[in-house]
Amino acid sequence: ITVYGYDNSFPIAGDLFEAETDCNREHNMGQVASSGVNNLAYFSRKPSISTPQPQNPPTMASDAAYDPTKTYFSIVIGDGDNLAFVKGSRRSWMLERQSKCAADPDACFPLLWSLSPNLIDNAPQMMQWYYNVSYNTTHDYFVLPPSGHLYSYPGMMGADDQARYVTATEKDCEIMSTSGSVHWEWFGTWSRAIANFIPQYAVNSIVQGLFPVNVPYMLPMAEGGWGHDHYKIIDESVVLFKPKEWRGTSCTPKWNCPTAQGLADEISGYAKGTVTHIYMTSDGGCSYDDVVEMVSLLDEHVELVDQQTLINMALKRG
């Protein structure tokens, strides 16, 4: 069940029921964050997007060899599930990005944007605008936002709802020509999601990479058994990356809010051969300029890549 708007009725650790999934015992609801967005009735008058939207070519060919002397790294710009962000701040960031890439193409690093699949039906021209700008930069890519088809916690859903949700998310990925999605679950439910929900993506191998965030965000994800690894491979075809967030440079908790230099030092200091990512949001004050600064401080062995290349390298490394 799709719920439009934004549920901020219990502002505890974020907003307790904002994903809607935990609002009833069936756990069969998900949100399209649309509060503060007008004119959807106007935008939706255009025909829905029905054919796949091409993405830029991957940063490396699919048969490229894994290089253990490199660190493969992707940056995911978050909050693309929120239509107000898509219409406002992320549009501004995209325009800034286009301008900087035009001014210095050599400094135009690969960057992943989470983008709501709801635009396919309700604002198709808005989605096409983002794709068109990405063709100008040639280094921008798109993944689904949390948690795929809707902002929800799919691991809490019943089996029938999970099956429908997987199908809907896979259809979104095909239209958006992507294999990656941000994935959120409520704390304490990850083990169930890893055991019962995520393996369903392995059946068709359309969704191949998941970038998880624990909810509430200030709690680290206890489940997963990562050890020193930065991902785990589920059923030999789905890569679940270890959560890693960047919310700002002066917010709390501190482990989510390093300086650009601190984060660059951390990424550069990972053992060579690491395959990893970071999920960046602006709710702690992080800006596109912070991303640019951090990237400029990375060591030379850190290779920024698109989502498909990151997934490929994780699968090749094993």
Side-chain angles (χ1 to χ4, degrees):
I1 298 175
T2 301
V3 181
Y4 287 81
Y6 196 92
D7 188 345
N8 60 357
S9 53
F10 290 89
I12 302 171
D15 293 301
L16 190 60
F17 297 117
E18 64 181 3
E20 306 291 347
T21 315
D22 48 356
C23 281
N24 62 26
R25 63 185 181 182
E26 286 80 14
H27 304 305
N28 61 351
M29 298 196 297
Q31 179 187 255
V32 173
S34 57
S35 180
V37 179
N38 56 8
N39 291 334
L40 285 179
Y42 169 78
F43 288 121
S44 63
R45 294 183 67 182
K46 290 292 183 179
S48 299
I49 298 173
S50 58
T51 57
Q53 302 299 289
Q55 295 221 27
N56 285 316
T59 52
M60 300 176 69
S62 59
D63 60 354
Y66 165 78
D67 186 345
T69 68
K70 293 183 177 294
T71 290
Y72 297 98
F73 179 48
S74 291
I75 302 169
V76 181
I77 301 294
D79 294 321
D81 61 301
N82 192 317
L83 300 187
F85 281 51
V86 171
K87 190 178 178 184
S89 64
R90 294 304 180 263
R91 177 182 181 275
S92 297
W93 287 15
M94 192 60 125
L95 289 172
E96 181 181 0
R97 162 86 168 166
Q98 178 177 239
S99 176
K100 289 185 175 180
C101 284
D104 187 1
D106 291 337
C108 191
F109 51 87
L111 188 62
L112 282 56
W113 300 78
S114 61
L115 188 64
S116 174
N118 184 263
L119 300 176
I120 293 170
D121 296 313
N122 283 335
Q125 289 179 304
M126 200 176 295
M127 173 171 281
Q128 288 166 336
W129 180 88
Y130 274 90
Y131 274 71
N132 288 338
V133 174
S134 79
Y135 303 149
N136 294 336
T137 69
T138 72
H139 285 85
D140 288 287
Y141 303 87
F142 301 101
V143 298
L144 268 62
S147 289
H149 185 60
L150 297 169
Y151 174 23
S152 63
Y153 311 135
M156 299 175 70
M157 296 177 180
D160 290 344
D161 288 317
Q162 285 186 352
R164 285 188 286 268
Y165 195 88
V166 167
T167 298
T169 298
E170 290 177 338
K171 181 180 177 182
D172 294 336
C173 280
E174 289 180 321
I175 292 292
M176 294 177 64
S177 300
T178 190
S179 57
S181 177
V182 181
H183 192 92
W184 291 16
E185 295 284 354
W186 190 256
F187 78 102
T189 67
W190 278 101
S191 294
R192 183 172 28 167
I194 292 171
N196 300 325
F197 176 74
I198 294 174
Q200 297 181 56
Y201 285 132
V203 175
N204 294 321
S205 293
I206 295 172
V207 180
Q208 297 178 315
L210 297 173
F211 306 101
V213 175
N214 194 47
V215 184
Y217 65 83
M218 71 282 296
L219 299 177
M221 180 177 164
E223 305 94 326
W226 307 101
H228 295 293
D229 293 328
H230 288 260
Y231 61 86
K232 60 171 52 194
I233 299 174
I234 297 175
D235 287 359
E236 301 181 351
S237 63
V238 179
V239 182
L240 178 67
F241 290 94
K242 183 179 180 179
K244 180 65 180 176
E245 301 162 61
W246 190 24
R247 297 183 171 273
T249 59
S250 58
C251 51
T252 58
K254 288 299 182 183
W255 51 270
N256 269 347
C257 305
T259 63
Q261 182 70 67
L263 181 57
D265 289 345
E266 179 181 343
I267 302 299
S268 299
Y270 290 155
K272 290 183 178 180
T274 294
V275 183
T276 190
H277 84 292
I278 191 159
Y279 178 76
M280 177 265 183
T281 66
S282 55
D283 55 0
C286 210
S287 68
Y288 177 69
D289 286 339
D290 291 326
V291 176
V292 173
E293 179 184 2
M294 185 272 292
V295 168
S296 72
L297 298 168
L298 292 168
D299 287 354
E300 289 186 1
H301 72 277
V302 179
E303 180 101 5
L304 273 85
V305 297
D306 66 286
Q307 71 275 13
Q308 189 60 60
T309 299
L310 194 75
I311 293 164
N312 291 346
M313 291 305 161
L315 293 172
K316 290 177 181 183
R317 179 178 180 269

